[in-house]
Amino acid sequence: DAGITQSPRHKVTETGTPVTLRCHQTENHRYMYWYRQDPGHGLRLIHYSYGVKDTDKGEVSDGYSVSRSKTEDFLLTLESATSSQTSVYFCAISESGQGLQETQYFGPGTRLLVL
Amino acid sequence: QQQVKQSPQSLIVQKGGISIINCAYENTAFDYFPWYQQFPGKGPALLIAIRPDVSEKKEGRFTISFNKSAKQFSLHIMDSQPGDSATYFCAASTGRSGGYQKVTFGTGTKLQVIP
């Protein structure tokens, strides 16, 4: 999985609790992304980062926040988890995003269940 | 708003047969069309991609056909094998020089190749 790890790989939590998912890369790529994957919706972008401390919203960002304090780490936080946030979360990276048709490399995913 | 429509949702093909997955897009600004393959428990991985200035691209048993005027593209898997059983996502993206590359994914097709 292109030097990308996600932790935890599985998590069960209760409604209203905060949850933080971690993505770690060893590729020194500039761009990092968080997607969620749900049946019938494919992959939808939550947030992305284009550098340390530089982040922006994707199409489904409500209820999520992110932080990137180091090039290699991108954290996704569910501030108060809801059942609608039960999903599989994927981190992805790409090298520069400079208008080149670059591959996005995906991590192995985190399966989150909110009860 | 689903900007990339993918069909069918699921597909069962006999070993040795041809698997065909279709996608249609709306945004004429899309200029790169990748296909991703995802095995259970894994993240998506780039399979093959095409730019709109060509009508077909072939890599081994995998071929993308692209129809710019109809805003449609399709993946053909020739001589399908049980090892091809996976979920396939089409995608479309717009490249921006020096900027973030937004990728829009289809909803996925679960392919099962039976012996």
Side-chain angles (χ1 to χ4, degrees), chain A residues 51-104:
Chain A
V52 173
K53 295 190 180 353
D54 293 323
T55 66
D56 206 348
K57 295 178 179 180
E59 60 182 299
V60 290
S61 59
D62 287 349
Y64 301 95
S65 62
V66 290
S67 65
R68 191 170 178 195
S69 58
K70 297 186 288 185
T71 298
E72 57 266 34
D73 290 326
F74 192 31
L75 303 181
L76 176 71
T77 297
L78 289 65
E79 296 165 9
S80 178
T82 68
S83 58
S84 65
Q85 294 176 311
T86 291
S87 186
V88 181
Y89 291 85
F90 286 99
C91 174
I93 63 174
S94 65
E95 188 162 9
S96 69
Q98 289 184 352
L100 300 175
Q101 305 305 352
E102 296 172 345
T103 300
Q104 288 192 9

Side-chain angles (χ1 to χ4, degrees), chain A residues 13-79:
Chain A
T13 191
E14 293 185 348
T15 298
T17 61
V19 176
T20 295
L21 308 182
R22 180 181 183 238
C23 177
H24 178 79
Q25 60 146 329
T26 58
E27 307 297 323
N28 200 36
H29 281 5
R30 178 183 175 191
Y31 279 74
M32 299 185 75
Y33 312 82
W34 276 107
Y35 290 90
R36 60 178 290 173
Q37 183 176 36
D38 305 287
H41 291 278
L43 290 140
R44 293 180 292 174
L45 182 68
I46 304 171
H47 282 279
Y48 70 97
S49 169
Y50 48 97
V52 173
K53 295 190 180 353
D54 293 323
T55 66
D56 206 348
K57 295 178 179 180
E59 60 182 299
V60 290
S61 59
D62 287 349
Y64 301 95
S65 62
V66 290
S67 65
R68 191 170 178 195
S69 58
K70 297 186 288 185
T71 298
E72 57 266 34
D73 290 326
F74 192 31
L75 303 181
L76 176 71
T77 297
L78 289 65
E79 296 165 9

